[in-house]
Amino acid sequence: MKGSAFVRMVSLGILLLNAGYVNAQEDSIQKNKTTFLEKMYERVSQAVTIKNPGDTTALKLSVENTRSESTFLPYQGKVIRSISTQELGFEITFLDTSKSVNYFGTRILNALHADSKSWVIRNNLFIKKDSRVNPYVFADNERYLRGLEFIQDARIIIKPIKDNADSVDVVVITKDLFSLTGSLDLGGTTRQKISIAEINLAGSGQKVQLSGLRDVDRSPVFGYDFLYKKTNIAHSFINASAGYSQIKRDKTQNEAEQSLFLQLDKPLISPYNYFAGALNLSFNQNRNLYNKPDSLFYSYRYTNIDVWAGHNMGVAKLIQNNSERSRSFIAARYFSSVFDKIPYQVGNNFNPFFNTRKGLLGELTFFKQNFYKTNYIYGFGTTEDVPYGYNVAITAGWYQQVSLRRPYVGFSASRYTIAAKGHFMEYYLRAGGFWNKRRLQDASFIAGTSLYSRLFLFDHFKMRQYMKASYSRIFNYLANDPLRIDNTLGLHYFNADSLKGTQRLSLYSETFFFARYKLLGFQLAPFAFLDATVLTPRKQDFFKSDVYTGIGGGIRIRNENLVFGTMELRLVYFPRTVQDNNAFKITFRANLRFRYNSNYVKAPDIIQLNSEDINSFY
């Protein structure tokens, strides 16, 4: 396709998206807008007999679905007389704090756990005594607390004061996750990996993690890594982490990379904040610890520097007028990943994993984003914050890969809606390309949508349906990473490095259930899924492409009191395979963390086609 045709196509997409942004997001929540994906979902749900006895009080009490700011709106403008904190034990649930779940397991957790200190919770507040109640700031702060690694759930409660209608008292209620965690990865008698972590050291909001590896095929047999992290240094909302590893997975998936790193990041925690940014520094090299022959060992060494910063414009206007929620954010980023040792097998050829890369990018973002509080999406009953609104970003800058220097321009737009029936939906379009020799090169775009259905209530379980679809395309491919199938935008768990192309169409559908009863504090969530991807190799016709599918199911297990994430056992059957891939695959993964994007903005970047964007549902 010619460059001009690509530009026209992108322009048309921008116009179509902008037309959708004209209507206010709040109006879309009230209206019953039936989309193609909703119609598809309704047909699927009508094809089965659904018994929905949702009138039972117990089931209704366990389900939440409300705007984050709604509980604070009646108190807007009132003066905050005092702020106190309260930490709940593991025997108390947020769904009903009057009910105690006090059994042997919760008593052990309470005995071994040190609650977050009151000063730690206060350090993470951006509401202040003697200021006035702003419902949106309260909602942002509550959501921020829930996003902390060591917090399971949080609520900010406003209490009216008798005989003083102009003032209120505020109580911040939090419930910790059990902060001691670890993992064990056993590979028989020849390989074992163990990790131990304390994510809230003595209740101080600090994390320390130590991992060790024993592998008889490795020389030396033993290796380790260490990580330290401090959340919100001195109330600056800057997070810092540093670490050293001898067992990091290298670019060929062997645990043989040595890495030393330092990270600082300051997210935009609220539209009322002025600045956001991050700094990442690392030194990395791999070593031939698995004694591969020189012809197979990819020896490399590189240094990575990545820094970005941005300014949130018009904050003063937002403070004066809460009803005007649209924001704009300008940011710049510099990154440099320099290989001073390159595998001789790569040489000066373009390779997305081993090439030196440098870039200077600027980005202008327009966003309007609020949140709904809900649950039972992937969180097993704890509060989950789902965005609604839009995010539109225009990116431009300079990019170098090896000796190829090219200007870059890109565009991305995401829209999040909540339908009247309770479906959470996202639509997105991203496009970008490089200009060189009077033509677009490595031009690409991806368009997609995803849907989480409303929660269906049954006698003994709850159910949701998840569906997503995406189409990706690359034009005038030269140097960037081609479209691959081995990722969440392709065919899940299908490892095939040889399958690459310039067009990809993917569909995924999953039905998951939450059992009403628990086993020793662990809740079960069985699921079934269907996955399909069409991948078109370079210079081939799309309608002659191969179709790859996967079908299967499994179960997820989670104890919400424990810090380690969801455990998942999954069985997949691939009707069509490639060389070195089995038709059946069984996977077990621990410490999974399913989340929605909770960031308003991100670092400027080129379009990513083989990984989920930070502003996506996943």
Side-chain angles (χ1 to χ4, degrees):
M1 177 180 287
K2 297 293 184 181
S4 59
F6 174 74
V7 172
R8 289 196 297 271
M9 183 171 59
V10 173
S11 300
L12 177 60
I14 294 173
L15 290 174
L16 290 174
L17 272 169
N18 282 340
Y21 294 144
V22 172
N23 294 328
Q25 180 65 43
E26 288 76 5
D27 292 339
S28 70
I29 297 173
Q30 303 300 327
K31 296 178 181 178
N32 182 10
K33 296 182 178 179
T34 306
T35 66
F36 171 78
L37 197 59
E38 286 184 73
K39 288 180 179 179
M40 181 189 299
Y41 169 73
E42 293 298 339
R43 292 192 184 105
V44 172
S45 63
Q46 290 170 7
V48 297
T49 301
I50 296 180
K51 181 185 178 184
N52 187 356
D55 295 331
T56 59
T57 303
L59 286 175
K60 281 191 172 183
L61 283 175
S62 65
V63 178
E64 184 176 22
N65 195 21
T66 181
R67 294 185 187 183
S68 297
E69 71 278 4
S70 61
T71 57
F72 308 117
L73 287 172
Y75 307 100
Q76 182 167 339
K78 296 185 182 296
V79 176
I80 302 173
R81 187 180 70 172
S82 67
I83 300 176
S84 60
T85 64
Q86 180 182 348
E87 291 74 43
L88 300 182
F90 294 108
E91 74 281 0
I92 303 297
T93 68
F94 265 82
L95 298 177
D96 186 358
T97 55
S98 64
K99 182 180 179 181
S100 177
V101 187
N102 193 8
Y103 59 93
F104 181 69
T106 59
R107 290 195 292 271
I108 291 179
L109 294 180
N110 283 325
L112 296 177
H113 177 75
D115 287 338
S116 295
K117 305 299 184 185
S118 177
W119 63 265
V120 171
I121 302 302
R122 291 178 179 275
N123 187 51
N124 286 286
L125 297 180
F126 34 95
I127 56 175
K128 299 178 181 179
K129 180 182 175 181
D130 296 327
S131 64
R132 294 187 179 273
V133 174
N134 182 325
Y136 295 96
V137 173
F138 271 62
D140 286 336
N141 205 161
E142 190 180 79
R143 178 178 52 82
Y144 173 78
L145 290 172
R146 281 193 290 270
L148 295 175
E149 187 177 9
F150 49 88
I151 296 294
Q152 182 201 110
D153 213 336
R155 289 290 188 279
I156 299 178
I157 307 299
I158 296 180
K159 293 185 175 181
I161 301 173
K162 190 177 181 179
D163 302 327
N164 190 347
D166 294 330
S167 299
V168 294
D169 291 326
V170 174
V171 181
V172 181
I173 304 175
T174 58
K175 182 179 179 182
D176 284 355
L177 289 163
F178 185 67
S179 59
L180 286 171
T181 185
S183 64
L184 186 62
D185 182 6
L186 300 178
T189 59
T190 61
R191 180 189 174 280
Q192 303 86 34
K193 186 176 181 179
I194 186 171
S195 179
I196 301 173
E198 167 59 74
I199 67 162
N200 193 9
L201 186 64
S204 63
Q206 302 177 69
K207 177 181 181 178
V208 178
Q209 178 176 300
L210 179 64
S211 300
L213 171 70
R214 175 186 176 271
D215 191 337
V216 297
D217 295 327
R218 189 177 181 273
S219 180
V221 173
F222 294 96
Y224 70 93
D225 69 17
F226 174 79
L227 169 70
Y228 171 79
K229 180 179 180 180
K230 176 68 174 75
T231 300
N232 191 3
I233 301 172
H235 198 60
S236 64
F237 294 97
I238 296 175
N239 308 310
S241 57
Y244 170 74
S245 178
Q246 297 178 337
I247 56 176
K248 181 182 176 183
R249 286 195 178 274
D250 63 18
K251 295 179 182 295
T252 59
Q253 296 305 302
N254 289 313
E255 292 167 307
E257 185 170 298
Q258 186 177 24
S259 178
L260 179 67
F261 73 90
L262 170 67
Q263 297 178 349
L264 301 172
D265 74 278
K266 179 179 171 55
L268 189 69
I269 56 178
S270 168
Y272 295 87
N273 286 89
Y274 286 92
F275 300 103
L279 170 67
N280 295 293
L281 305 173
S282 68
F283 172 80
N284 312 269
Q285 68 173 352
N286 72 333
R287 298 178 294 166
N288 193 8
L289 304 182
Y290 288 86
N291 301 313
K292 291 184 176 182
D294 291 343
S295 60
L296 298 179
F297 177 63
Y298 280 55
S299 179
Y300 64 84
R301 181 173 59 243
Y302 70 97
T303 302
N304 186 67
I305 302 173
D306 193 340
V307 58
W308 77 277
H311 174 64
N312 188 18
M313 298 182 288
V315 175
K317 182 179 179 181
L318 178 62
I319 294 174
Q320 296 173 359
N321 182 10
N322 277 340
S323 62
E324 178 51 57
R325 304 295 295 166
S326 298
R327 309 269 19 94
S328 54
F329 185 88
I330 188 169
R333 176 189 180 193
Y334 171 77
F335 58 90
S336 170
S337 183
V338 177
F339 282 79
D340 55 7
K341 186 177 183 181
I342 301 172
Y344 78 87
Q345 298 92 331
V346 175
N348 292 323
N349 296 320
F350 292 121
N351 185 294
F353 300 107
F354 298 103
N355 285 162
T356 289
R357 295 169 180 258
K358 296 181 180 181
L360 180 62
L361 298 174
E363 188 168 270
L364 180 61
T365 303
F366 306 94
F367 67 92
K368 180 181 180 182
Q369 191 166 309
N370 293 313
F371 290 84
Y372 246 67
K373 288 191 296 188
T374 187
N375 51 8
Y376 289 106
I377 293 183
Y378 280 117
F380 291 83
T382 57
T383 307
E384 299 176 72
D385 299 284
V386 180
Y388 65 94
Y390 64 80
N391 186 294
V392 180
I394 301 171
T395 308
W398 166 83
Y399 191 90
Q400 176 183 346
Q401 184 175 352
V402 193
S403 59
L404 182 63
R405 298 176 176 87
R406 301 178 291 180
Y408 173 82
V409 63
F411 166 85
S412 67
S414 299
R415 188 182 183 190
Y416 314 91
T417 67
I418 303 173
K421 293 183 178 180
H423 307 312
F424 299 103
M425 304 190 68
E426 177 200 11
Y427 315 87
Y428 62 86
L429 170 66
R430 305 178 194 117
F434 302 87
W435 184 258
N436 189 38
K437 297 181 180 179
R438 298 184 178 181
R439 64 181 300 195
L440 278 174
Q441 295 176 340
D442 289 316
S444 60
F445 83 88
I446 177 171
T449 184
S450 61
L451 173 145
Y452 283 95
S453 77
R454 66 182 178 92
L455 188 67
F456 291 94
L457 305 179
F458 294 78
D459 282 323
H460 302 293
F461 61 88
K462 305 175 180 68
M463 184 194 86
R464 279 194 196 270
Q465 180 72 30
Y466 173 57
M467 301 173 68
K468 72 173 181 178
S470 66
Y471 174 75
S472 309
R473 180 74 187 266
I474 298 177
F475 305 94
N476 299 331
Y477 171 72
L478 176 65
N480 271 20
D481 198 8
L483 297 175
R484 303 196 310 268
I485 199 172
D486 56 347
N487 56 75
T488 56
L489 289 171
L491 195 65
H492 296 63
Y493 304 97
F494 191 74
N495 298 324
D497 294 339
S498 60
L499 293 179
K500 301 176 182 179
T502 55
Q503 291 188 77
R504 182 183 61 210
L505 174 65
S506 298
L507 302 171
Y508 183 81
S509 177
E510 178 179 302
T511 306
F512 50 99
F513 309 85
F514 295 96
R516 187 174 180 182
Y517 302 103
K518 297 181 180 180
L519 178 64
L520 299 177
F522 288 85
Q523 192 164 356
L524 308 180
F527 62 93
F529 67 90
L530 176 64
D531 204 356
T533 296
V534 179
L535 186 67
T536 305
R538 190 177 182 183
K539 296 181 180 180
Q540 287 194 17
D541 188 88
F542 176 78
F543 295 100
K544 296 181 180 180
S545 304
D546 295 326
V547 180
Y548 298 89
T549 58
I551 185 171
I555 190 168
R556 298 186 183 103
I557 305 171
R558 178 74 189 268
N559 186 326
E560 291 288 3
N561 283 324
L562 303 181
V563 69
F564 57 80
T566 302
M567 295 175 286
E568 179 188 272
L569 177 66
R570 179 183 292 249
L571 172 64
V572 191
Y573 169 62
F574 300 110
R576 178 175 185 167
T577 62
V578 295
Q579 187 177 4
D580 299 328
N581 271 269
N582 296 323
F584 287 94
K585 186 170 186 178
I586 299 176
T587 65
F588 177 79
R589 299 190 300 164
N591 206 33
L592 297 180
R593 299 188 181 277
F594 297 98
R595 296 190 67 128
Y596 289 106
N597 157 57
S598 60
N599 295 322
Y600 294 99
V601 295
K602 61 181 180 65
D605 199 1
I606 65 174
I607 301 300
Q608 301 297 319
L609 299 173
N610 293 306
S611 62
E612 299 279 14
D613 188 88
I614 193 172
N615 288 321
S616 295
F617 293 166
Y618 61 94

